[in-house]
Amino acid sequence: MSHETFYLTTPIYYVNATPHLGHAYTTIMADTMARFQQFRLGPERVYFLTGTDEHGDKIAQAAAQTGESPQAYADRISGIFQETWRRLGLAPNQFIRTTSEPHKRAVQRLLQQIYDAGDIYFGEYGGQYCFGCERFYTEKELQDGRCPDHQTTPTFIKEQNYFFRMGKYQDWLIDHIRHHPDFIRPERFRNEVLSFLKDPLEDLCISRPRTRLEWGIPLPFDVQYVTYVWFDALVNYISALDWPDGEAFQRFWPSAQHLIAKDILKPHAIYWPIILKAAGLPLYRHLNVHGYWKIEEAKMSKSRGSVVRPLDLADKYGVEAFRYFVLREMTFGLDASFSEEALVARLNADLANDLGNLYSRVLKLIQRYYDGRISESPGERGLVDAVRAAVTDVTAATERFAFSEALAAIWNLVSATNKYLVTNEPWKQDPGDARTKVVLFSAAETLRAIAILLWPFLPQTAERMLQGLGAPEPLTSIHFDELLSSSWHLGSRQGRVQEVEPLFPRIQATAAKPSPVKTGSTAVPETVADQITIEEFRRVDLRVAEVIEATAIPGSKKLVKLRVRLQDEERTVVAGLKEHYPPESWAGKRIILVANLRPTKLMGIASQGMVLAAEDESGRIVLLTPEQPISSGSKVR
């Protein structure tokens, strides 16, 4: 018996914002692959990991803006991710959080191990730092002097920190990538990494001083510093398996594969394998890299104000329609464009017309002719061969994450079955004719095969189809290889064909009007909108405050320190609006302040309230101010 296992991870998602289309796509892909591998190996040999990344500058800033502690903020946003995946029908084996104690211990153990080996040293470094990415950039990596992801000008920071000797392992990594052609796939990303490695690899700054950042895992060898968020986050892939002594680590790590978007290629293709090598650990098997979803030909981005929320689409069109669209629309490794019009077109043409009409037609004929029962007959040779071809094509495509190709192969089988029915016209034939029974049995058995092939991609639809066909055996007990058999057996095991609702009702043109793209706010992190009662609203104390003084906060691109007056009281407030309102523009302004927020620290400064601002669809931020002069401390009603 084979002891092969399969371990697949998504990135752990940063909790500075709620889930968007990009997060959902990666996790849906991983869920699909995990289900496919369950067909191959059995559920007990497959492990699917996802989770949330909860330390770093951006989390501390986001928590301060909402008046929460970093832990409370992380708890809330991580909970939103978990609820979103549940509502999308995703089924990871584990949801890991980097604020968990087992993960923290694993990070510190790995750091100590590498430090003891001499590959971490103390030094001073000055460089261009992007607070959005929480990393230093080389001049070569910048695009026209700006962060390639956030399109903001980085800040020059010079400070003492701990460094990881990455450069020491550069030649080894190049050699490993060259001798393992599928280590990074698709090939274009392997070539991109090799191109980057043509230049000398700088050592990696793996700490942040606690004078600048408290919210992180303390270094085990110097508690005055916390761990760089990427070093912390990457370790989740082994901490989730109870490294170093856990049975799960021994069982699943040798088969590890990572699934990521291309914006985090460098940490996964360079930092992570070198960290593993320095720690004396085996490398993962494959790094699988997908492209971006684009909105109006630009990368979807919270910082640029173009965000699509997966639950909005799932609630409007159905989870399975949303899942089908994202898996079918994007070619693995390339970028894809999102629009609701394209989603509706896919839903109506592929799901409602091709698959839905085929399924309804066959089941209704069996109900009308044979009272919902059909005796076993020899399978039609042409359809048997079409099923075999589909199994071969779906398997080959899915194993390399080419889910669009895999679904196209299934739809080739759907089209072949539709053509077969049109050619034979069973609705015009005598129900007692043996040929009519052969045609309808072959079509029904092909639908069963289609349902089995669809299960990794559209699990709820597959289960509904089998239920309707009277063959609701547990899908996890079936293997694709069974469909290659020349012996079809639906009639021998099925119950009565069930009366079913349409698999996918058509969407009318009036219902397909695109929803406006939701935009995030750089002032207040996005949350799921819940209605509140009037009593809850009355607890919020909004006051007019006068700004006495504003100063920049060293090391922060976005934060400004305000000294404000509420009647006879003075307070200090930290606002994340420096990019829109420089320090010299604040003095004398009357602003609206949430006055009864619990004080919280940001960049070591206690903030005693939150400034209110509005953001339009272009990303322009405007302070909320009284229309006419009014005394400071006045209550907003």
Side-chain angles (χ1 to χ4, degrees):
M1 178 181 293
S2 170
H3 295 289
E4 181 183 357
T5 61
F6 185 83
Y7 176 41
L8 181 64
T9 73
T10 71
I12 49 173
Y13 304 115
Y14 212 36
V15 294
N16 64 319
T18 52
H20 57 58
L21 174 61
H23 299 131
Y25 174 66
T26 309
T27 316
I28 288 171
M29 287 187 72
D31 183 80
T32 299
M33 178 60 84
R35 292 174 187 272
F36 170 76
Q37 294 297 337
Q38 288 177 19
F39 270 145
R40 289 186 57 244
L41 306 172
E44 71 283 351
R45 293 183 183 172
V46 177
Y47 205 90
F48 162 28
L49 175 72
T50 190
T52 43
D53 181 6
E54 302 177 12
H55 290 123
D57 280 317
K58 287 192 288 186
I59 307 308
Q61 293 171 14
Q65 291 290 347
T66 59
E68 299 169 277
S69 69
Q71 186 64 65
Y73 174 84
D75 289 345
R76 178 169 60 82
I77 303 299
S78 181
I80 293 171
F81 271 92
Q82 294 177 64
E83 176 63 12
T84 299
W85 300 160
R86 186 193 66 77
R87 289 178 59 186
L88 291 178
L90 307 180
N93 295 85
Q94 182 181 349
F95 188 100
I96 190 170
R97 299 182 57 189
T98 57
T99 52
S100 70
E101 291 304 319
H103 174 76
K104 293 177 185 177
R105 289 194 296 269
V107 170
Q108 290 180 323
R109 179 164 183 164
L110 191 70
L111 281 164
Q112 190 67 55
Q113 192 167 312
I114 297 174
Y115 179 79
D116 291 344
D119 281 337
I120 293 177
Y121 64 92
F122 191 70
E124 187 174 74
Y125 179 80
Q128 300 295 334
Y129 188 80
C130 173
F131 285 91
C133 297
E134 300 194 42
R135 56 161 288 200
F136 288 97
Y137 277 95
T138 64
E139 292 295 337
K140 182 179 179 180
E141 292 176 298
L142 298 175
Q143 296 178 356
D144 298 323
R146 295 176 178 268
C147 165
D149 187 33
H150 294 90
Q151 293 300 304
T152 55
T153 303
T155 301
F156 183 83
I157 292 180
K158 186 174 184 178
E159 61 189 9
Q160 291 183 318
N161 268 307
Y162 285 89
F163 295 85
F164 171 48
R165 299 184 193 277
M166 282 209 311
K168 171 182 174 180
Y169 295 94
Q170 181 169 2
D171 291 341
W172 163 82
L173 181 58
I174 292 171
D175 184 70
H176 180 83
I177 294 172
R178 285 177 175 168
H179 285 85
H180 298 82
D182 62 349
F183 181 63
I184 302 168
R185 54 189 190 181
E187 184 180 8
R188 66 177 60 84
F189 296 113
R190 173 179 177 270
N191 294 337
E192 182 178 327
V193 173
L194 287 173
S195 176
F196 182 86
L197 289 171
K198 288 179 180 178
D199 294 328
L201 188 60
E202 294 185 356
D203 291 345
L204 179 67
C205 177
I206 55 95
S207 68
R208 299 292 183 264
R210 295 181 76 168
T211 54
R212 180 158 70 84
L213 175 66
E214 281 281 347
W215 185 238
I217 300 175
L219 297 183
F221 41 82
D222 190 340
V223 295
Q224 298 305 310
Y225 289 82
V226 295
T227 309
Y228 170 45
V229 67
W230 266 114
F231 200 107
D232 167 2
L234 290 165
V235 178
N236 94 90
Y237 302 131
I238 58 174
S239 69
L241 299 178
D242 298 326
W243 173 82
D245 302 318
E247 185 272 336
F249 178 74
Q250 305 301 323
R251 186 180 188 201
F252 287 105
W253 183 247
S255 63
Q257 296 196 34
H258 302 314
L259 176 64
I260 64 167
K262 66 182 183 180
D263 58 335
I264 51 175
L265 175 62
K266 183 179 178 181
H268 284 82
I270 297 177
Y271 301 174
W272 184 223
I274 291 179
I275 289 170
L276 291 167
K277 176 67 173 176
L281 297 175
L283 271 59
Y284 54 82
R285 185 174 293 179
H286 300 297
L287 178 63
N288 306 284
V289 188
H290 69 75
Y292 292 145
W293 281 100
K294 292 188 172 182
I295 308 294
E296 298 179 350
E297 298 309 310
K299 177 198 171 187
M300 188 178 64
S301 168
K302 175 178 178 287
S303 61
R304 298 177 191 173
S306 57
V307 176
V308 176
R309 297 296 176 205
L311 288 182
D312 293 345
L313 298 171
D315 289 344
K316 187 173 183 178
Y317 301 110
V319 168
E320 299 276 282
F322 170 63
R323 185 171 175 129
Y324 177 79
F325 174 76
V326 297
L327 292 173
R328 184 70 189 268
E329 196 74 6
M330 181 179 278
T331 299
F332 187 66
L334 301 179
D335 295 342
S337 295
F338 172 83
S339 72
E340 281 196 57
E341 293 95 329
L343 189 159
V344 170
R346 283 282 189 196
L347 192 163
N348 285 338
D350 297 0
L351 298 176
N353 288 357
D354 294 345
L355 178 63
N357 287 347
L358 169 65
Y359 180 72
S360 296
R361 175 182 286 179
V362 171
L363 267 61
K364 286 178 180 177
L365 285 173
I366 293 174
Q367 287 173 327
R368 185 193 312 165
Y369 287 178
Y370 308 114
D371 193 29
R373 296 185 182 278
I374 188 167
S375 57
E376 187 168 6
S377 305
E380 193 76 59
R381 184 81 256 165
L383 285 182
V384 172
D385 290 343
V387 168
R388 289 176 172 173
V391 172
T392 300
D393 292 345
V394 170
T395 300
T398 304
E399 286 179 342
R400 52 189 174 84
F401 288 86
F403 296 145
S404 180
E405 291 181 33
L407 286 167
I410 296 173
W411 254 253
N412 287 340
L413 182 57
V414 171
S415 297
T417 312
N418 270 318
K419 183 178 180 181
Y420 172 75
L421 287 178
V422 170
T423 300
N424 288 280
E425 298 182 314
W427 48 88
K428 293 184 179 180
Q429 310 306 320
D430 181 356
D433 190 295
R435 177 62 187 165
T436 306
K437 292 183 179 179
V438 168
V439 170
L440 287 177
F441 168 77
S442 297
E445 177 64 7
T446 306
L447 278 170
R448 174 180 173 272
I450 290 168
I452 293 170
L453 288 170
L454 268 180
W455 183 73
F457 307 92
L458 304 179
Q460 296 174 21
T461 300
E463 289 164 5
R464 286 180 61 199
M465 289 177 67
L466 289 180
Q467 187 72 35
L469 287 163
E473 65 261 63
L475 276 159
T476 52
S477 68
I478 300 172
H479 294 273
F480 274 8
D481 291 349
E482 178 185 316
L483 299 179
L484 298 174
S485 169
S486 61
S487 175
W488 286 17
H489 48 255
L490 178 61
S492 64
R493 70 168 64 176
Q494 80 173 130
R496 188 185 298 271
V497 166
Q498 304 294 313
E499 190 85 37
V500 292
E501 296 292 324
L503 288 178
F504 293 96
R506 284 184 58 84
I507 299 296
Q508 300 302 316
T510 54
K513 183 179 179 181
S515 300
V517 172
K518 293 193 173 182
T519 58
S521 166
T522 56
V524 182
E526 299 154 23
T527 60
V528 172
D530 293 321
Q531 291 183 334
I532 63 173
T533 65
I534 188 64
E535 289 76 15
E536 290 173 311
F537 176 75
R538 284 172 178 158
R539 294 181 59 201
V540 181
D541 186 15
L542 301 179
R543 299 278 178 169
V544 176
E546 180 184 5
V547 180
I548 303 168
E549 181 184 46
T551 55
I553 298 176
S556 175
K557 185 174 180 60
K558 294 183 178 181
L559 300 181
V560 60
K561 177 183 174 182
L562 307 176
R563 186 160 61 92
V564 303
R565 179 184 294 116
L566 286 87
Q567 289 182 321
D568 299 325
E569 175 191 0
E570 288 191 7
R571 293 190 184 188
T572 298
V573 177
V574 177
L577 298 169
K578 181 179 172 185
E579 292 177 307
H580 305 275
Y581 290 87
E584 60 269 21
S585 68
W586 286 87
K589 286 186 182 296
R590 277 177 164 74
I591 59 175
I592 306 300
L593 192 72
V594 181
N596 61 338
L597 281 179
R598 183 181 295 113
T600 187
K601 279 193 173 183
L602 184 60
M603 299 287 285
I605 301 170
S607 182
Q608 300 168 291
M610 182 171 66
V611 178
L612 295 188
E615 180 180 14
D616 65 17
E617 292 185 357
S618 71
R620 186 170 63 101
I621 299 289
V622 178
L623 281 172
L624 299 186
T625 59
E627 181 183 10
Q628 298 180 8
I630 191 169
S631 61
S632 65
S634 298
K635 187 174 179 62
V636 178
R637 301 183 183 276

